[in-house]
Amino acid sequence: MCGITGFAERNHKAETARRIVKGMADLITYRGPDGEGYYVDDQVALGHRRLSIIDLEGGKQPMFNEDGSLVCIFNGEIYNFQTLREELIAAGHTFATRSDTEVLLHGYEQWGNQLPGKLRGMFTFVIWDQKTKTMFGARDIFGIKPFYYYNQDGLFLFGSEIKSFLAHPGFKKELNEERLPEYLSIEYIPNEETMFKNVYKLPSGCMFTWENGELTVERYYEIKYHVDDSKSLEEWEKIITDTFAESVAAHQIADVEVGCFLSSGVDSSFVVNEVAKGTPHVKSFSVGYAEEKYSELPYAQEFSKEIGVPSIANKVDAEQFFEANRLIQWYLDEPMPNPAEVPLYFLAQNARKYVKVVLSGEGADELFGGYPMYCQAVHFMDYEHKVPKALRKAAGAVASKLPDFKGKNFLVRGAEEPWQRYMRANYVFLDPAERDRCLKKNYHSPRPEQFFKPYFDKVQGLDEPTQLQWVDMHTWMLYDILLKADRMSMANSLELRVPFLDRNMLDVALSIPQKYRSGKESTKIALRGAAMKQLPESVAHRKKLGFPVPLNDWLREDKYYNMVKEKFTGPVAEKFFNVDEIMRLLDDHKAGKAKNMTKIWSFYSFILWYELYFVNTQAPAGIY
């Protein structure tokens, strides 16, 4: 597990390139504090920061093949590397280390661009072929590990984090201001663009080739449903149990101690319980607040005690929360206003005092149907089956013109297409017009849901709950859940592994019929059934809390209200926003007239981020 960065161009001076790439890697030192390594020639410069997990002595990078013609830098873990290693040895390859990095080198020799499709794990990697002057790289099928690139004026920059680009003199740092409305509505940009102009995310399941200044990006893996209706619910529960046990075992491969994150929910409890079977004294880590009604600690600690697992917990108070948020916006690279990232940061910080690797429950909701909106989609699906489209359209048109009544929203939404009622599109502002009143200028931006239509178009033949899961996997999970999981763990030099996001688990999830994933009132039906046979019933049926935070209350306290007000009336706010409008949001919230926490935090997070990257332009104190 590490951080990678580097660049390629048609020609450069090696001595200068080495100095630059070291500066790039230094900006992400926390991703790999155990070591550093560099490779430079007249076209390419590769930088690597290492967090030693597997083959502590032999796994140093950049790593070369036998004749030195291929060089690789890699971020992640390949969980089937031992099987691939044996296959490659049988094919005549000779290994000098026990590391999974070397499997990438010999695998590329053997299979070329077919290599990514054979890998089971979380990864981004880059391989430079000195003979053909070709660079090849790929990102895992879920996008667990990040990869960004910038390809302008003959310069190709890449890295685990965008901030590494800041050290390259050829990088033109510009705000991608046209995407500000989408950020404010969705909390992230739901495609390959970023908040930096000309900086892109390599999509999950994609690979790239750079040769002679030309960049080609191709998809090597497609997530496709292949539902199997022949099995009963009990059979699916058994398949989930067995597949998950094998995945957890694979995700524990390490030469260092492995711990677990534990919240009050079924997903992380399932992980901890499975790990505890083979590692009775595995450490579990939880986070909470002094404000009891927001804290998950009592549930987590009760469960830990019941299964005999040591529980290590820490609490976050308002002062820590606000103080850390500025630092967190730096680590995130792009503004992200999800308050859950803050307790996750402190959770990772505490865990790193004890272990180098943790397992966590991310991905279970997207794969197995865990969000309440999937249940709502089942209601819409039932409505569409019973009522002809023309009648639904007419009912929606009439309802929209009437005063509020019970069921009005359902009738209005029921007349729309699934992409039009996708709740994550207008996650912050229900009405984009309210968002636009807060902006200083008119960006003529499409409605937020338009950005999700291309995703829904790819799966329009599926039922609506399944469409939502597929779209969530390619947007919400990728650009929010996994991004903050990677950044908050790696900010603390901690490797976070996600056994639900495994190729074998995905294959199971894509086969389960919709009725065993989500119902009108139930989520994760098959997964909960499997959990019930393993966990205390109270845990298996516990409702999803996520990472609840007391931010709603804190923003009404004078100290934190004034802290936000200072930014809302400052120069960055004046530059981009209608100050009167955003102050109205803040004042109404403080007065109890409205619950504007999510909106306030979106503006506040952007302002902090913009100050860090475009005003002060220095890493905040406390990073190194």
Side-chain angles (χ1 to χ4, degrees):
M1 181 57 63
C2 348
I4 61 174
T5 190
F7 57 94
E9 48 199 337
R10 286 189 173 138
N11 189 54
H12 58 219
K13 292 182 179 178
E15 184 178 334
T16 303
R18 179 175 294 276
R19 185 181 70 252
I20 292 171
V21 77
K22 185 182 187 319
M24 294 171 71
D26 284 347
L27 284 173
I28 54 172
T29 297
Y30 47 84
R31 291 190 74 95
D34 295 338
E36 60 183 314
Y38 305 95
Y39 167 83
V40 177
D41 63 20
D42 61 356
Q43 277 193 292
V44 163
L46 308 178
H48 183 265
R49 296 291 324 194
R50 187 182 186 209
L51 183 65
S52 305
I53 304 293
I54 292 176
D55 194 1
L56 307 186
E57 294 302 318
K60 295 176 181 178
Q61 299 181 40
M63 187 175 287
F64 298 83
N65 64 344
E66 298 99 321
D67 66 4
S69 62
L70 296 180
V71 56
C72 177
I73 53 175
F74 160 54
N75 170 31
E77 304 290 353
I78 308 300
Y79 300 121
N80 64 337
F81 82 96
Q82 292 161 327
T83 302
L84 294 175
R85 189 176 191 270
E86 293 304 313
E87 189 176 339
L88 289 163
I89 288 172
H93 294 267
T94 302
F95 282 77
T97 73
R98 295 184 298 107
S99 74
D100 47 357
T101 309
E102 194 173 8
V103 167
L104 297 176
L105 283 163
H106 292 296
Y108 184 66
E109 289 177 319
Q110 184 71 24
W111 301 305
N113 67 6
Q114 299 301 303
L115 168 65
K118 295 179 177 290
L119 303 176
R120 176 188 182 189
M122 54 180 188
F123 59 83
T124 56
F125 67 84
V126 169
I127 294 174
W128 172 242
D129 187 329
Q130 298 179 56
K131 291 180 179 177
T132 64
K133 301 297 183 185
T134 301
M135 180 182 289
F136 176 78
R139 188 179 186 188
D140 66 74
I141 63 175
F142 300 103
I144 303 167
K145 291 289 102 183
F147 190 92
Y148 298 91
Y149 67 89
Y150 172 89
N151 189 43
Q152 293 289 309
D153 303 320
L155 174 66
F156 177 60
L157 297 170
F158 65 84
S160 300
E161 299 188 17
I162 300 171
K163 66 178 62 64
S164 66
F165 300 172
L166 301 175
H168 197 291
F171 175 56
K172 189 183 291 186
K173 183 181 66 175
E174 295 179 88
L175 176 68
N176 190 7
E177 190 178 342
E178 295 302 308
R179 297 283 74 84
L180 182 55
E182 287 72 61
Y183 156 77
L184 289 172
S185 285
I186 303 166
E187 294 194 340
Y188 54 85
I189 301 175
N191 55 31
E192 289 82 57
E193 289 188 61
T194 71
M195 286 302 290
F196 290 91
K197 190 175 288 187
N198 298 319
V199 175
Y200 297 91
K201 314 149 189 159
L202 181 68
S204 55
C206 284
M207 58 187 178
F208 74 88
T209 303
W210 181 91
E211 184 177 11
N212 196 32
E214 295 295 320
L215 177 69
T216 304
V217 175
E218 300 175 87
R219 180 162 291 282
Y220 71 85
Y221 186 90
E222 291 273 5
I223 294 178
K224 294 182 179 180
Y225 279 86
H226 43 83
V227 171
D228 179 359
D229 288 308
S230 68
K231 296 179 177 62
S232 68
L233 176 59
E234 290 73 21
E235 288 175 303
W236 282 118
E237 291 169 357
K238 178 69 164 59
I239 291 169
I240 289 172
T241 300
D242 293 344
T243 308
F244 188 60
E246 191 278 331
S247 178
V248 168
H251 281 70
Q252 288 180 263
I253 297 172
D255 294 331
V256 296
E257 186 179 356
V258 177
C260 296
F261 282 170
L262 177 62
S263 67
S264 66
V266 63
D267 306 333
S268 63
S269 300
F270 208 179
V271 173
V272 174
N273 188 70
E274 192 59 48
V275 173
K277 291 177 182 178
T279 314
H281 301 293
V282 62
K283 296 180 180 70
S284 70
F285 302 94
S286 305
V287 67
Y289 298 95
E291 291 87 348
E292 196 68 29
K293 65 179 179 178
Y294 294 103
S295 186
E296 296 185 287
L297 285 182
Y299 302 106
Q301 290 173 326
E302 179 185 338
F303 173 72
S304 294
K305 186 176 181 180
E306 192 164 345
I307 66 170
V309 169
S311 173
I312 300 168
N314 59 312
K315 292 185 178 182
V316 181
D317 61 31
E319 191 166 336
Q320 290 173 306
F321 189 97
F322 275 81
E323 185 178 339
N325 193 48
R326 184 169 179 271
L327 191 66
I328 285 168
Q329 294 304 322
W330 169 260
Y331 283 126
L332 287 166
D333 273 345
E334 297 183 82
M336 180 179 281
N338 188 330
E341 65 214 15
V342 183
L344 182 56
Y345 172 79
F346 284 105
L347 177 62
Q349 186 181 73
N350 193 41
R352 186 60 180 89
K353 297 173 185 175
Y354 302 88
V355 296
K356 257 188 176 181
V357 179
V358 290
L359 269 60
S360 188
E362 279 84 359
D365 290 313
E366 290 80 8
L367 266 64
F368 292 94
Y371 292 115
M373 70 173 183
Y374 302 157
C375 298
Q376 187 179 37
V378 175
H379 284 279
F380 282 127
M381 182 173 65
D382 189 43
Y383 178 51
E384 289 177 352
H385 284 161
K386 293 177 180 177
V387 182
K389 187 173 183 179
L391 191 54
R392 283 187 279 113
K393 292 278 188 183
V398 171
S400 67
K401 297 173 183 177
L402 296 175
D404 285 345
F405 61 91
K406 188 177 180 180
K408 174 181 176 176
N409 185 61
F410 184 82
L411 291 175
V412 173
R413 304 292 275 168
E416 297 174 332
E417 299 297 325
W419 65 271
Q420 292 174 306
R421 55 177 174 248
Y422 185 53
M423 63 159 286
R424 300 201 198 281
N426 293 289
Y427 186 73
V428 180
F429 288 92
L430 288 177
D431 182 3
E434 183 186 5
R435 173 204 69 189
D436 292 344
R437 286 195 297 271
C438 295
L439 289 165
K440 194 106 177 189
K441 70 181 190 182
N442 188 346
Y443 292 91
H444 303 287
S445 180
R447 287 185 63 88
E449 55 267 30
Q450 285 288 154
F451 287 86
F452 293 94
K453 187 177 185 299
Y455 295 101
F456 280 93
D457 286 347
K458 290 182 179 180
V459 287
Q460 56 186 313
L462 302 177
D463 59 78
E464 185 170 346
T466 304
Q467 288 183 35
L468 292 178
Q469 286 184 244
W470 192 92
V471 174
D472 270 355
M473 282 185 235
H474 290 80
T475 54
W476 165 256
M477 185 178 81
L478 176 60
Y479 300 135
D480 187 299
I481 299 294
L482 292 177
L483 187 144
K484 71 174 185 283
D486 172 81
R487 292 301 201 284
M488 296 302 92
S489 57
M490 293 307 292
N492 291 287
S493 306
L494 178 75
E495 175 175 308
L496 186 148
R497 299 180 178 181
V498 280
F500 283 109
L501 293 180
D502 174 76
R503 287 190 74 147
N504 295 349
M505 289 296 291
L506 176 64
D507 191 53
V508 171
L510 296 176
S511 303
I512 298 174
Q514 183 276 320
K515 63 183 178 181
Y516 296 146
R517 285 181 264 125
S518 55
K520 290 182 179 179
E521 307 297 333
S522 306
T523 60
K524 287 184 292 204
I525 296 169
L527 182 64
R528 286 186 194 279
M532 279 182 64
K533 295 176 172 62
Q534 304 279 324
L535 307 175
E537 190 172 340
S538 60
V539 175
H541 286 293
R542 191 166 291 146
K543 288 185 177 180
K544 183 175 183 60
L545 294 177
F547 266 118
V549 295
L551 182 58
N552 196 64
D553 296 341
W554 290 338
L555 287 170
R556 292 192 170 109
E557 296 180 19
D558 287 345
K559 179 176 181 179
Y560 305 110
Y561 163 85
N562 288 326
M563 192 179 292
V564 176
K565 180 180 179 180
E566 180 185 355
K567 298 300 180 184
F568 275 23
T569 55
V572 176
E574 287 279 359
K575 181 179 176 72
F576 296 104
F577 307 128
N578 182 332
V579 170
D580 289 341
E581 284 294 322
I582 62 174
M583 277 305 302
R584 182 184 56 79
L585 292 174
L586 183 61
D587 288 338
D588 285 354
H589 184 87
K590 188 176 192 299
K593 295 178 182 177
K595 291 184 177 180
N596 291 330
M597 181 199 80
T598 305
K599 299 169 187 175
I600 292 166
W601 207 243
S602 294
F603 289 107
Y604 184 64
S605 297
F606 174 82
I607 293 168
L608 292 182
W609 172 81
Y610 187 85
E611 286 178 344
L612 287 164
Y613 280 93
F614 290 91
V615 180
N616 301 324
T617 66
Q618 292 290 327
I623 289 206
Y624 303 116

